[in-house]
Amino acid sequence: METKLDLEPITLPGVELARPMVIAGPCSAETEEQVMNTARELAANGVKIFRAGIWKPRTRPGAFEGIGSEGLAWMQRVKKETGMFVSTEVATAHHVHEAIKYGVDLLWIGARTTANPFAVQEIADALRGTNIPVFVKNPVNPDLELWIGAFERLNRAGIKKLGAIHRGFSTYEKTKYRNHPMWQIPIELHRRIPDLPIITDPSHITGDCNLIQDMSQEAMDMNFDGLIIESHECPAQAWSDAKQQVTPAHLKMILDSLVLREHVVGDSTKQTLNELRGEIDKLDVVLLETLAKRMKISEEIGKYKYEHGITILQERRYDEVLQSRREKAEKQGLNPDFVVKFYEDIHEESVATQNAVMKQMSKK
Ligand code: PEP
Ligand code: MN
């Protein structure tokens, strides 16, 4: 199912938004000096769009919640003195009115706000009649429909220059990242709304200035359109998100190192690629047939267990299966964590199958 939106390309006068489109600047505007120093360095390094949070949604009250409208005057100064375009996060109608009054060029809706349809609707209504580009960050929870719903609300209010920011998702499970990238979600967003530009926020995904470079490259390899990266003149002293901000010089290194791979499959590469894809298709048939056979056997085991009064879950057996598959995976040069996860899913399905068999038999 495709989602139909009435979109226009995001354009800013005089800037060619070639891939990757880059937005950079501090997590928060703190002082006029910090904003101006950071902006000057970024502009000197070729950054065209500046970011700074003016109103900051924080987990607990009492943390720095943003400088507020006072910082918008500093953003005006950034525009005037460096020629960069400026962008900030809006979460309420008041923020929208203030940002527009001060000439902010591009807005984004934060992850916590996207998760709240009332808030998104309020922002959409406040934006009615403007033509300002608006980026929408994915909601904190991995819910694609909620993300798409936000684009629909804005689009129905007449906002056509829309873009998505992939900033990762909250999970209970701890990973090396602050937010789990779950690439399949922005990829599915792209499939559903092909004309919507998607940029990645490696700062909020990784939460770690040392991981930004690899994450930015990953985003480019996924063929996304750009990056929004937090950059501060002195990250260690930042009032928010200190661990994930990079200096303007570090940002330049990251951007210079990016390899942009060709995403159009040309004629010469097409044939080889098609052959390789054909191999994958064949192997997938075998994989699926094997999986179907395996499930059939699970069903038989379920019947047998029922007839002999044995419980479905045999923990020792489960542990042994995971352990032996992990070892086999290692021998085959596969990522053992991936293989274990795969078997956990298979096991879950197998238990569900056995449960269904037992229920059915007990009715007879
Ligand atoms: C931000 O960009 O500074 C921000 C608050 O991000 P997010 O909404 O992704 O948490
Ligand atoms: Mn931040």
Side-chain angles (χ1 to χ4, degrees):
M1 183 182 57
E2 233 186 73
T3 307
K4 285 263 166 286
L5 293 183
D6 181 9
L7 295 175
E8 277 173 15
I10 294 183
T11 48
L12 289 168
V15 190
E16 176 141 2
L17 293 179
R19 186 168 169 266
M21 170 186 186
V22 173
I23 303 177
C27 176
S28 309
E30 298 163 4
T31 65
E32 185 163 14
E33 202 191 357
Q34 166 252 6
V35 166
M36 291 313 299
N37 288 346
T38 310
R40 282 193 202 104
E41 271 195 77
L42 290 170
N45 289 346
V47 172
K48 300 278 188 286
I49 311 171
F50 183 73
R51 66 151 280 161
I54 295 290
W55 301 278
K56 301 300 299 177
R58 304 310 296 275
T59 306
R60 305 270 305 271
F64 173 58
E65 294 190 310
I67 201 74
S69 297
E70 186 188 347
L72 291 171
W74 310 339
M75 299 288 254
Q76 269 184 330
R77 208 178 141 199
V78 168
K79 268 180 86 155
K80 202 158 147 238
E81 290 184 24
T82 69
M84 279 192 285
F85 292 93
V86 295
S87 64
T88 200
E89 170 176 345
V90 289
T92 67
H94 171 68
H95 298 164
V96 170
H97 297 312
E98 285 291 282
I100 288 174
K101 190 167 88 190
Y102 281 87
V104 172
D105 303 286
L106 183 152
L107 303 174
W108 80 83
I109 295 180
R112 291 157 197 79
T113 308
T114 310
N116 178 353
F118 286 132
V120 175
Q121 192 58 54
E122 180 187 313
I123 294 168
D125 292 337
L127 284 166
R128 219 177 271 277
T130 72
N131 196 21
I132 189 165
V134 182
F135 276 85
V136 181
K137 287 197 165 197
N138 63 255
V140 279
N141 51 324
D143 184 340
L144 177 61
E145 300 309 319
L146 204 49
W147 201 3
I148 290 180
F151 292 112
E152 288 171 332
R153 285 178 197 280
L154 291 161
N155 204 221
R156 284 180 190 187
I159 306 302
K160 296 184 179 175
K161 293 178 179 170
L162 290 170
I165 300 176
H166 164 228
R167 52 78 79 195
F169 302 86
S170 278
T171 52
Y172 183 66
E173 163 205 0
K174 288 277 157 262
T175 70
K176 69 170 170 173
Y177 299 129
R178 179 177 176 189
N179 290 293
H180 200 305
M182 297 188 194
W183 291 105
Q184 68 275 23
I185 296 182
I187 289 171
E188 177 61 12
L189 176 68
H190 178 65
R191 201 186 63 78
R192 296 262 295 265
I193 316 176
D195 293 336
L196 184 73
I198 303 181
I199 69 173
T200 297
D201 178 342
S203 309
H204 288 90
I205 293 179
T206 64
D208 180 343
C209 60
N210 297 311
L211 301 176
I212 309 259
Q213 177 159 7
D214 285 352
M215 186 55 67
S216 302
Q217 184 61 53
E218 251 182 81
M220 290 301 98
D221 292 343
M222 295 287 172
N223 198 23
F224 289 158
D225 302 282
L227 299 163
I228 175 166
I229 299 181
E230 287 188 343
S231 179
H232 189 288
E233 59 162 340
C234 182
Q237 273 156 38
W239 298 1
S240 57
D241 287 349
K243 272 185 15 206
Q244 71 191 32
Q245 304 205 53
V246 293
T247 60
H250 186 176
L251 177 78
K252 183 172 186 319
M253 257 174 49
I254 292 171
L255 296 176
D256 287 348
S257 77
L258 291 178
V259 180
L260 297 185
R261 301 195 162 86
E262 232 179 299
H263 61 276
V264 182
V265 184
D267 279 343
S268 56
T269 42
K270 216 185 230 159
Q271 199 186 341
T272 315
L273 210 52
N274 279 345
E275 277 168 24
L276 291 171
R277 284 174 177 161
E279 291 298 312
I280 293 247
D281 291 348
K282 276 186 241 148
L283 286 173
D284 278 352
V285 171
V286 178
L287 210 60
L288 289 170
E289 281 171 2
T290 311
L291 207 53
K293 272 189 211 150
R294 198 185 188 282
M295 284 302 163
K296 270 265 165 290
I297 297 179
S298 281
E299 255 181 65
E300 270 176 48
I301 293 180
K303 274 187 206 146
Y304 187 82
K305 282 181 181 163
Y306 178 78
E307 282 160 358
H308 295 81
I310 304 171
T311 57
I312 293 181
L313 197 62
Q314 304 276 310
E315 255 136 15
R316 267 228 353 249
R317 159 79 185 150
Y318 182 39
D319 290 344
E320 282 164 10
V321 168
L322 289 189
Q323 189 49 32
S324 83
R325 302 320 184 249
R326 174 179 283 280
E327 281 162 17
K328 285 210 171 64
E330 258 156 357
K331 280 197 194 121
Q332 305 258 12
L334 286 163
N335 172 357
D337 291 340
F338 156 71
V339 171
V340 165
K341 209 164 117 237
F342 182 55
Y343 271 97
E344 281 168 353
D345 284 346
I346 291 183
H347 182 258
E348 196 183 305
E349 181 64 17
S350 177
V351 168
T353 307
Q354 293 188 22
N355 248 324
V357 169
M358 283 208 178
K359 261 204 201 104
Q360 214 179 12
M361 291 185 71
S362 61
K363 274 195 208 135
K364 279 184 191 161

